Amino acid sequence: MEKANVSTLPRLPLSTIWMLSFGFLGVQMAFSLQSSNMGRIFQTLGADPTRLGFFFILPPLAGMVVQPLVGKYSDKTWMPKLGRRLPYLLIGAIVAIIVMALLPNSGSFGFSTVMGLWFGAITILFMDLSSNVAMQPFKMMVGDMVNEEQKGYAYSVQSFLSNTGSVLASIFPFLLTAFGVANVAPDGEVPQSVIISFYVGAVILVICSLITVLKVKEYTPEEYALYHGISADAATENVGMFKLLARAPKIFWTITIVQFFCWMGFQYLWTYGTGAVAANVWHVADPASSAYQAAGNWFGILSAVQAIAAVLWSLVLTKVPNDKHKPAYALSLLFGAIGFASIFFVHTQGALIVSFILIGIAWAGMMAYPFILLTNGLEAAGEGAHMGTFLGLFNGSICLPQIVASVASFAIFPLLGSSFPMMLLLSGIFLVLGALAVSLIKEAKIN
């Protein structure tokens, strides 16, 4: 495709940049409740720890299918009262709310252990489908509406808000337990502290999503074409996703390599994190025990520590100049690698806080830099007309490594002595490889 001359997007008020991503707080809270409690929920329902990876295959598989479709169809959508991306946000949020009420109750409907696990797995699938539909519009709107100069700030704001949602999601079970809500339940049922946390998350998701829908006005198709230097032919070009993938700029693929190692590492955190904390600090493995559930609550607090660190590091990243993005990205990942590896050696609650601060730094970098670098690269390649589709396809760089990690865990977990802490040591190695791979990225400049 011939490159277009890219016009300069207007400078946005800071309030508009914040409103573009405000709903992400609610969506990320839903996602974090899911990711931080999945291992705990399925082990409570009776899942075999050596087969735990199976339940973590479905969510990224759903994302690989849904996000490219959301991108492709939203590129061509225009509703005068809602816009291009916001209709998909609303649909995803509505479905997510329903599923958030069902998931933590998987063990409360009188199902057998097998049926409870299958109900939970299917509910997780729909949870991730809806979260993906709701999440993708926020990343796309920043690419649509924010100029190169402000894009680093905008994605760092998005990282800040998403991690604020993660903080809220992570601390709710702990706080509810402190206020006297039951943190243990009969065999096969999820504790009330987790169930109520999901209900609160659903309410916050509604409020935050509505704020973005009511406060943001997307550019009309004519404005969008003008600001992105899109010709009439390019605006109406109908090209399949596989053809677009074949002409993706080189930066798309080099960032994908970095993403592969990073998301492999974080997938094992979500799968084995609670078990690692229970094994190293509480020295228990029985999910029905009060000690294991206490470890689950502490893992929630550590996830909140991770999110708070990511919030603070996101604010640091807003100050990083454009020509320093790559070094800041690599440094963030190296900090995370140290955090993951240290979990293997730590046997006290307090020391784990340091580990998760370092992991939070890596998470902040992962939430900002891939999208800053990619959207600038797509603009420079003249692909602004297909921004949503490319961002949807890029989600494969998040979902595929999670699937690979989950499938590989069937062999790796037994090979490493069925040790939860060893899986997180492996995560540290993956993030070192990710940091080294940042050197492969060649940043593109918008003309």
Side-chain angles (χ1 to χ4, degrees):
M1 178 182 175
E2 184 180 350
K3 294 183 182 181
N5 293 322
V6 181
S7 298
T8 302
L9 284 154
R11 186 173 182 84
L12 295 177
L14 296 185
S15 59
T16 300
I17 291 177
W18 281 82
M19 286 302 102
L20 277 173
S21 296
F22 193 79
F24 207 88
L25 186 154
V27 175
Q28 187 62 34
M29 185 173 179
F31 178 78
S32 295
L33 280 167
Q34 170 193 317
S35 60
S36 64
N37 287 286
M38 275 178 66
R40 179 181 184 180
I41 288 173
F42 282 112
Q43 288 182 77
T44 299
L45 293 175
D48 180 352
T50 63
R51 295 291 180 264
L52 201 56
F54 169 78
F55 299 101
F56 288 79
I57 294 174
L58 295 176
L61 187 61
M64 282 193 69
V65 174
V66 170
Q67 292 215 30
L69 293 175
V70 172
K72 177 180 175 63
Y73 290 111
S74 65
D75 277 340
K76 304 300 181 183
T77 294
W78 178 253
M79 297 179 66
K81 291 186 178 181
L82 282 177
R84 175 181 287 104
R85 317 294 185 188
L86 291 175
Y88 297 87
L89 162 62
L90 278 176
I91 293 170
I94 291 169
V95 177
I97 292 161
I98 297 170
V99 180
M100 286 182 75
L102 293 175
L103 173 59
N105 287 295
S106 299
S108 303
F109 296 123
F111 296 132
S112 65
T113 298
V114 173
M115 285 301 299
L117 288 170
W118 272 110
F119 182 85
I122 293 169
T123 309
I124 279 286
L125 174 62
F126 279 95
M127 177 78 190
D128 215 72
L129 283 170
S130 57
S131 294
N132 276 290
V133 173
M135 188 181 297
Q136 194 69 357
F138 295 106
K139 299 185 184 302
M140 294 174 183
M141 285 191 292
V142 172
D144 290 348
M145 299 180 66
V146 182
N147 64 31
E148 184 182 15
E149 181 185 350
Q150 293 182 296
K151 196 169 287 178
Y153 178 83
Y155 276 119
S156 296
V157 165
Q158 192 168 96
S159 179
F160 172 86
L161 289 168
S162 70
N163 285 298
T164 300
S166 297
V167 172
L168 296 174
S170 300
I171 65 175
F172 266 121
F174 185 89
L175 289 178
L176 289 170
T177 302
F179 283 114
V181 177
N183 192 48
V184 292
D187 286 351
E189 294 185 19
V190 176
Q192 283 294 309
S193 58
V194 176
I195 293 174
I196 295 174
S197 295
F198 272 78
Y199 294 164
V200 174
V203 173
I204 292 176
L205 173 58
V206 172
I207 294 171
C208 293
S209 298
L210 285 176
I211 287 174
T212 289
V213 170
L214 295 173
K215 294 292 185 180
V216 172
K217 182 180 180 182
E218 296 186 70
Y219 295 139
T220 65
E222 295 75 20
E223 290 171 327
Y224 184 86
L226 173 65
Y227 293 145
H228 289 270
I230 298 170
S231 66
D233 289 342
T236 57
E237 181 187 26
N238 187 13
V239 57
M241 287 189 286
F242 290 108
K243 287 187 177 179
L244 280 180
L245 199 59
R247 75 186 197 199
K250 183 179 179 180
I251 194 170
F252 181 100
W253 300 108
T254 51
I255 299 173
T256 293
I257 295 172
V258 180
Q259 291 273 87
F260 182 84
F261 293 118
C262 294
W263 286 94
M264 284 275 289
F266 272 87
Q267 183 71 357
Y268 288 151
L269 173 67
W270 299 326
T271 310
Y272 301 105
T274 298
V277 172
N280 266 13
V281 179
W282 273 265
H283 309 293
V284 295
D286 180 10
S289 67
S290 60
Y292 190 95
Q293 294 301 330
N297 275 3
W298 186 244
F299 181 71
I301 292 298
L302 293 172
S303 298
V305 169
Q306 172 193 325
I308 292 169
V311 166
L312 297 176
W313 193 250
S314 298
L315 296 177
V316 173
L317 297 183
T318 63
K319 307 297 183 183
V320 174
N322 288 350
D323 61 346
K324 301 296 183 184
H325 284 161
K326 282 178 56 179
Y329 189 11
L331 181 64
S332 298
L333 298 182
L334 284 174
F335 278 133
I338 295 169
F340 274 118
S342 67
I343 295 173
F344 177 78
F345 302 99
V346 169
H347 295 274
T348 61
Q349 288 179 249
L352 283 172
I353 291 174
V354 177
S355 302
F356 278 77
I357 288 173
L358 296 174
I359 293 172
I361 289 173
W363 183 254
M366 287 167 56
M367 291 296 98
Y369 285 123
F371 300 98
I372 296 169
L373 297 169
L374 178 62
T375 52
N376 285 342
L378 292 172
E379 291 282 7
E383 294 288 3
H386 304 287
M387 181 72 74
T389 308
F390 273 112
L391 285 173
L393 291 168
F394 183 67
N395 190 60
S397 71
I398 296 173
C399 298
L400 183 60
Q402 292 181 66
I403 294 171
V404 171
S406 295
V407 173
S409 71
F410 299 146
I412 294 174
F413 187 60
L415 187 65
L416 296 181
S418 298
S419 168
F420 288 83
M422 277 292 291
M423 296 301 287
L424 299 190
L425 180 60
L426 180 61
S427 292
I429 296 172
F430 283 135
L431 260 73
V432 170
L433 295 174
L436 294 174
V438 171
S439 62
L440 300 174
I441 301 171
K442 183 177 180 181
E443 293 187 69
K445 297 296 181 182
I446 298 176
N447 297 323

PDB file of all heavy atoms in Angstrom, residues 338-362:
ATOM      1  N   ILE A 338      13.625  -9.572  37.803  1.00  0.00           N
ATOM      2  CA  ILE A 338      14.173  -9.733  39.157  1.00  0.00           C
ATOM      3  C   ILE A 338      13.056 -10.045  40.147  1.00  0.00           C
ATOM      4  O   ILE A 338      13.191 -10.905  41.029  1.00  0.00           O
ATOM      5  CB  ILE A 338      14.930  -8.456  39.576  1.00  0.00           C
ATOM      6  CG1 ILE A 338      16.148  -8.242  38.677  1.00  0.00           C
ATOM      7  CG2 ILE A 338      15.359  -8.532  41.039  1.00  0.00           C
ATOM      8  CD1 ILE A 338      16.800  -6.885  38.838  1.00  0.00           C
ATOM      9  N   GLY A 339      11.917  -9.359  39.981  1.00  0.00           N
ATOM     10  CA  GLY A 339      10.785  -9.596  40.868  1.00  0.00           C
ATOM     11  C   GLY A 339      10.270 -11.015  40.788  1.00  0.00           C
ATOM     12  O   GLY A 339      10.040 -11.676  41.812  1.00  0.00           O
ATOM     13  N   PHE A 340      10.096 -11.523  39.567  1.00  0.00           N
ATOM     14  CA  PHE A 340       9.614 -12.898  39.401  1.00  0.00           C
ATOM     15  C   PHE A 340      10.585 -13.908  40.000  1.00  0.00           C
ATOM     16  O   PHE A 340      10.189 -14.812  40.740  1.00  0.00           O
ATOM     17  CB  PHE A 340       9.417 -13.207  37.915  1.00  0.00           C
ATOM     18  CG  PHE A 340       8.083 -12.795  37.374  1.00  0.00           C
ATOM     19  CD1 PHE A 340       7.994 -11.849  36.355  1.00  0.00           C
ATOM     20  CD2 PHE A 340       6.914 -13.353  37.850  1.00  0.00           C
ATOM     21  CE1 PHE A 340       6.768 -11.472  35.846  1.00  0.00           C
ATOM     22  CE2 PHE A 340       5.678 -12.984  37.344  1.00  0.00           C
ATOM     23  CZ  PHE A 340       5.610 -12.039  36.334  1.00  0.00           C
ATOM     24  N   ALA A 341      11.861 -13.757  39.660  1.00  0.00           N
ATOM     25  CA  ALA A 341      12.849 -14.729  40.130  1.00  0.00           C
ATOM     26  C   ALA A 341      12.950 -14.738  41.651  1.00  0.00           C
ATOM     27  O   ALA A 341      13.147 -15.797  42.272  1.00  0.00           O
ATOM     28  CB  ALA A 341      14.213 -14.418  39.506  1.00  0.00           C
ATOM     29  N   SER A 342      12.783 -13.565  42.261  1.00  0.00           N
ATOM     30  CA  SER A 342      12.944 -13.479  43.714  1.00  0.00           C
ATOM     31  C   SER A 342      11.862 -14.246  44.468  1.00  0.00           C
ATOM     32  O   SER A 342      12.093 -14.693  45.603  1.00  0.00           O
ATOM     33  CB  SER A 342      12.943 -12.008  44.162  1.00  0.00           C
ATOM     34  OG  SER A 342      11.660 -11.408  43.961  1.00  0.00           O
ATOM     35  N   ILE A 343      10.688 -14.428  43.865  1.00  0.00           N
ATOM     36  CA  ILE A 343       9.598 -15.135  44.545  1.00  0.00           C
ATOM     37  C   ILE A 343      10.020 -16.554  44.913  1.00  0.00           C
ATOM     38  O   ILE A 343       9.630 -17.084  45.959  1.00  0.00           O
ATOM     39  CB  ILE A 343       8.330 -15.164  43.660  1.00  0.00           C
ATOM     40  CG1 ILE A 343       7.798 -13.747  43.466  1.00  0.00           C
ATOM     41  CG2 ILE A 343       7.243 -16.050  44.276  1.00  0.00           C
ATOM     42  CD1 ILE A 343       6.652 -13.639  42.480  1.00  0.00           C
ATOM     43  N   PHE A 344      10.847 -17.160  44.073  1.00  0.00           N
ATOM     44  CA  PHE A 344      11.305 -18.526  44.329  1.00  0.00           C
ATOM     45  C   PHE A 344      12.087 -18.618  45.642  1.00  0.00           C
ATOM     46  O   PHE A 344      12.045 -19.643  46.333  1.00  0.00           O
ATOM     47  CB  PHE A 344      12.178 -18.994  43.162  1.00  0.00           C
ATOM     48  CG  PHE A 344      12.764 -20.363  43.354  1.00  0.00           C
ATOM     49  CD1 PHE A 344      11.997 -21.499  43.162  1.00  0.00           C
ATOM     50  CD2 PHE A 344      14.093 -20.518  43.734  1.00  0.00           C
ATOM     51  CE1 PHE A 344      12.536 -22.761  43.333  1.00  0.00           C
ATOM     52  CE2 PHE A 344      14.646 -21.775  43.912  1.00  0.00           C
ATOM     53  CZ  PHE A 344      13.869 -22.902  43.716  1.00  0.00           C
ATOM     54  N   PHE A 345      12.796 -17.532  45.985  1.00  0.00           N
ATOM     55  CA  PHE A 345      13.693 -17.565  47.148  1.00  0.00           C
ATOM     56  C   PHE A 345      13.074 -16.966  48.415  1.00  0.00           C
ATOM     57  O   PHE A 345      13.669 -17.056  49.486  1.00  0.00           O
ATOM     58  CB  PHE A 345      14.979 -16.795  46.825  1.00  0.00           C
ATOM     59  CG  PHE A 345      15.721 -17.333  45.635  1.00  0.00           C
ATOM     60  CD1 PHE A 345      15.587 -16.735  44.387  1.00  0.00           C
ATOM     61  CD2 PHE A 345      16.523 -18.450  45.760  1.00  0.00           C
ATOM     62  CE1 PHE A 345      16.265 -17.236  43.285  1.00  0.00           C
ATOM     63  CE2 PHE A 345      17.206 -18.959  44.662  1.00  0.00           C
ATOM     64  CZ  PHE A 345      17.073 -18.358  43.411  1.00  0.00           C
ATOM     65  N   VAL A 346      11.894 -16.348  48.297  1.00  0.00           N
ATOM     66  CA  VAL A 346      11.307 -15.611  49.424  1.00  0.00           C
ATOM     67  C   VAL A 346      10.334 -16.501  50.194  1.00  0.00           C
ATOM     68  O   VAL A 346       9.504 -17.199  49.592  1.00  0.00           O
ATOM     69  CB  VAL A 346      10.590 -14.343  48.912  1.00  0.00           C
ATOM     70  CG1 VAL A 346       9.752 -13.715  50.016  1.00  0.00           C
ATOM     71  CG2 VAL A 346      11.613 -13.336  48.397  1.00  0.00           C
ATOM     72  N   HIS A 347      10.401 -16.435  51.522  1.00  0.00           N
ATOM     73  CA  HIS A 347       9.524 -17.262  52.360  1.00  0.00           C
ATOM     74  C   HIS A 347       8.825 -16.447  53.447  1.00  0.00           C
ATOM     75  O   HIS A 347       8.329 -17.016  54.425  1.00  0.00           O
ATOM     76  CB  HIS A 347      10.329 -18.400  52.994  1.00  0.00           C
ATOM     77  CG  HIS A 347      10.875 -19.371  51.994  1.00  0.00           C
ATOM     78  ND1 HIS A 347      10.163 -20.448  51.516  1.00  0.00           N
ATOM     79  CD2 HIS A 347      12.070 -19.396  51.339  1.00  0.00           C
ATOM     80  CE1 HIS A 347      10.885 -21.114  50.635  1.00  0.00           C
ATOM     81  NE2 HIS A 347      12.055 -20.501  50.511  1.00  0.00           N
ATOM     82  N   THR A 348       8.776 -15.151  53.283  1.00  0.00           N
ATOM     83  CA  THR A 348       8.058 -14.296  54.240  1.00  0.00           C
ATOM     84  C   THR A 348       7.094 -13.388  53.485  1.00  0.00           C
ATOM     85  O   THR A 348       7.367 -12.979  52.348  1.00  0.00           O
ATOM     86  CB  THR A 348       9.027 -13.431  55.067  1.00  0.00           C
ATOM     87  OG1 THR A 348       9.762 -12.563  54.183  1.00  0.00           O
ATOM     88  CG2 THR A 348       9.998 -14.297  55.847  1.00  0.00           C
ATOM     89  N   GLN A 349       5.983 -13.052  54.144  1.00  0.00           N
ATOM     90  CA  GLN A 349       4.978 -12.205  53.505  1.00  0.00           C
ATOM     91  C   GLN A 349       5.544 -10.847  53.117  1.00  0.00           C
ATOM     92  O   GLN A 349       5.335 -10.364  51.997  1.00  0.00           O
ATOM     93  CB  GLN A 349       3.795 -11.988  54.459  1.00  0.00           C
ATOM     94  CG  GLN A 349       2.918 -13.204  54.658  1.00  0.00           C
ATOM     95  CD  GLN A 349       1.789 -12.925  55.630  1.00  0.00           C
ATOM     96  OE1 GLN A 349       1.774 -13.447  56.728  1.00  0.00           O
ATOM     97  NE2 GLN A 349       0.852 -12.090  55.234  1.00  0.00           N
ATOM     98  N   GLY A 350       6.260 -10.212  54.054  1.00  0.00           N
ATOM     99  CA  GLY A 350       6.736  -8.858  53.818  1.00  0.00           C
ATOM    100  C   GLY A 350       7.706  -8.748  52.661  1.00  0.00           C
ATOM    101  O   GLY A 350       7.639  -7.806  51.861  1.00  0.00           O
ATOM    102  N   ALA A 351       8.605  -9.724  52.540  1.00  0.00           N
ATOM    103  CA  ALA A 351       9.609  -9.663  51.477  1.00  0.00           C
ATOM    104  C   ALA A 351       8.975  -9.771  50.087  1.00  0.00           C
ATOM    105  O   ALA A 351       9.494  -9.229  49.107  1.00  0.00           O
ATOM    106  CB  ALA A 351      10.645 -10.764  51.670  1.00  0.00           C
ATOM    107  N   LEU A 352       7.840 -10.460  50.005  1.00  0.00           N
ATOM    108  CA  LEU A 352       7.159 -10.588  48.713  1.00  0.00           C
ATOM    109  C   LEU A 352       6.669  -9.239  48.185  1.00  0.00           C
ATOM    110  O   LEU A 352       6.446  -9.077  46.980  1.00  0.00           O
ATOM    111  CB  LEU A 352       5.984 -11.558  48.832  1.00  0.00           C
ATOM    112  CG  LEU A 352       6.337 -13.051  48.870  1.00  0.00           C
ATOM    113  CD1 LEU A 352       5.104 -13.884  49.174  1.00  0.00           C
ATOM    114  CD2 LEU A 352       6.970 -13.499  47.562  1.00  0.00           C
ATOM    115  N   ILE A 353       6.487  -8.281  49.073  1.00  0.00           N
ATOM    116  CA  ILE A 353       6.049  -6.951  48.632  1.00  0.00           C
ATOM    117  C   ILE A 353       7.064  -6.354  47.667  1.00  0.00           C
ATOM    118  O   ILE A 353       6.693  -5.777  46.634  1.00  0.00           O
ATOM    119  CB  ILE A 353       5.830  -6.032  49.854  1.00  0.00           C
ATOM    120  CG1 ILE A 353       4.615  -6.500  50.658  1.00  0.00           C
ATOM    121  CG2 ILE A 353       5.657  -4.573  49.419  1.00  0.00           C
ATOM    122  CD1 ILE A 353       4.406  -5.754  51.963  1.00  0.00           C
ATOM    123  N   VAL A 354       8.341  -6.511  47.969  1.00  0.00           N
ATOM    124  CA  VAL A 354       9.388  -5.997  47.078  1.00  0.00           C
ATOM    125  C   VAL A 354       9.321  -6.698  45.725  1.00  0.00           C
ATOM    126  O   VAL A 354       9.432  -6.064  44.666  1.00  0.00           O
ATOM    127  CB  VAL A 354      10.779  -6.174  47.709  1.00  0.00           C
ATOM    128  CG1 VAL A 354      11.876  -5.695  46.752  1.00  0.00           C
ATOM    129  CG2 VAL A 354      10.868  -5.432  49.032  1.00  0.00           C
ATOM    130  N   SER A 355       9.137  -8.016  45.757  1.00  0.00           N
ATOM    131  CA  SER A 355       9.039  -8.780  44.508  1.00  0.00           C
ATOM    132  C   SER A 355       7.929  -8.235  43.621  1.00  0.00           C
ATOM    133  O   SER A 355       8.107  -8.053  42.400  1.00  0.00           O
ATOM    134  CB  SER A 355       8.771 -10.257  44.819  1.00  0.00           C
ATOM    135  OG  SER A 355       9.771 -10.812  45.637  1.00  0.00           O
ATOM    136  N   PHE A 356       6.779  -7.947  44.216  1.00  0.00           N
ATOM    137  CA  PHE A 356       5.632  -7.523  43.414  1.00  0.00           C
ATOM    138  C   PHE A 356       5.709  -6.049  43.016  1.00  0.00           C
ATOM    139  O   PHE A 356       5.083  -5.643  42.035  1.00  0.00           O
ATOM    140  CB  PHE A 356       4.329  -7.871  44.140  1.00  0.00           C
ATOM    141  CG  PHE A 356       3.911  -9.299  43.933  1.00  0.00           C
ATOM    142  CD1 PHE A 356       4.538 -10.329  44.620  1.00  0.00           C
ATOM    143  CD2 PHE A 356       2.925  -9.619  43.016  1.00  0.00           C
ATOM    144  CE1 PHE A 356       4.170 -11.653  44.412  1.00  0.00           C
ATOM    145  CE2 PHE A 356       2.550 -10.932  42.797  1.00  0.00           C
ATOM    146  CZ  PHE A 356       3.181 -11.959  43.497  1.00  0.00           C
ATOM    147  N   ILE A 357       6.468  -5.253  43.749  1.00  0.00           N
ATOM    148  CA  ILE A 357       6.737  -3.882  43.283  1.00  0.00           C
ATOM    149  C   ILE A 357       7.498  -3.939  41.970  1.00  0.00           C
ATOM    150  O   ILE A 357       7.179  -3.223  41.000  1.00  0.00           O
ATOM    151  CB  ILE A 357       7.530  -3.099  44.346  1.00  0.00           C
ATOM    152  CG1 ILE A 357       6.636  -2.754  45.539  1.00  0.00           C
ATOM    153  CG2 ILE A 357       8.122  -1.815  43.740  1.00  0.00           C
ATOM    154  CD1 ILE A 357       7.389  -2.127  46.704  1.00  0.00           C
ATOM    155  N   LEU A 358       8.498  -4.805  41.906  1.00  0.00           N
ATOM    156  CA  LEU A 358       9.294  -4.934  40.686  1.00  0.00           C
ATOM    157  C   LEU A 358       8.458  -5.493  39.534  1.00  0.00           C
ATOM    158  O   LEU A 358       8.587  -5.057  38.386  1.00  0.00           O
ATOM    159  CB  LEU A 358      10.504  -5.832  40.963  1.00  0.00           C
ATOM    160  CG  LEU A 358      11.507  -5.288  41.989  1.00  0.00           C
ATOM    161  CD1 LEU A 358      12.582  -6.327  42.294  1.00  0.00           C
ATOM    162  CD2 LEU A 358      12.146  -3.999  41.483  1.00  0.00           C
ATOM    163  N   ILE A 359       7.584  -6.440  39.836  1.00  0.00           N
ATOM    164  CA  ILE A 359       6.697  -6.986  38.800  1.00  0.00           C
ATOM    165  C   ILE A 359       5.758  -5.894  38.281  1.00  0.00           C
ATOM    166  O   ILE A 359       5.469  -5.808  37.084  1.00  0.00           O
ATOM    167  CB  ILE A 359       5.905  -8.179  39.352  1.00  0.00           C
ATOM    168  CG1 ILE A 359       6.850  -9.357  39.640  1.00  0.00           C
ATOM    169  CG2 ILE A 359       4.809  -8.618  38.379  1.00  0.00           C
ATOM    170  CD1 ILE A 359       6.205 -10.515  40.375  1.00  0.00           C
ATOM    171  N   GLY A 360       5.282  -5.028  39.181  1.00  0.00           N
ATOM    172  CA  GLY A 360       4.408  -3.928  38.775  1.00  0.00           C
ATOM    173  C   GLY A 360       5.090  -2.969  37.823  1.00  0.00           C
ATOM    174  O   GLY A 360       4.459  -2.413  36.909  1.00  0.00           O
ATOM    175  N   ILE A 361       6.386  -2.743  38.011  1.00  0.00           N
ATOM    176  CA  ILE A 361       7.132  -1.873  37.099  1.00  0.00           C
ATOM    177  C   ILE A 361       7.120  -2.452  35.686  1.00  0.00           C
ATOM    178  O   ILE A 361       6.908  -1.734  34.701  1.00  0.00           O
ATOM    179  CB  ILE A 361       8.568  -1.683  37.621  1.00  0.00           C
ATOM    180  CG1 ILE A 361       8.555  -0.801  38.886  1.00  0.00           C
ATOM    181  CG2 ILE A 361       9.474  -1.071  36.549  1.00  0.00           C
ATOM    182  CD1 ILE A 361       9.896  -0.684  39.577  1.00  0.00           C
ATOM    183  N   ALA A 362       7.343  -3.767  35.587  1.00  0.00           N
ATOM    184  CA  ALA A 362       7.298  -4.406  34.265  1.00  0.00           C
ATOM    185  C   ALA A 362       5.911  -4.299  33.648  1.00  0.00           C
ATOM    186  O   ALA A 362       5.765  -4.029  32.447  1.00  0.00           O
ATOM    187  CB  ALA A 362       7.701  -5.874  34.394  1.00  0.00           C
TER     188      ALA A 362
END
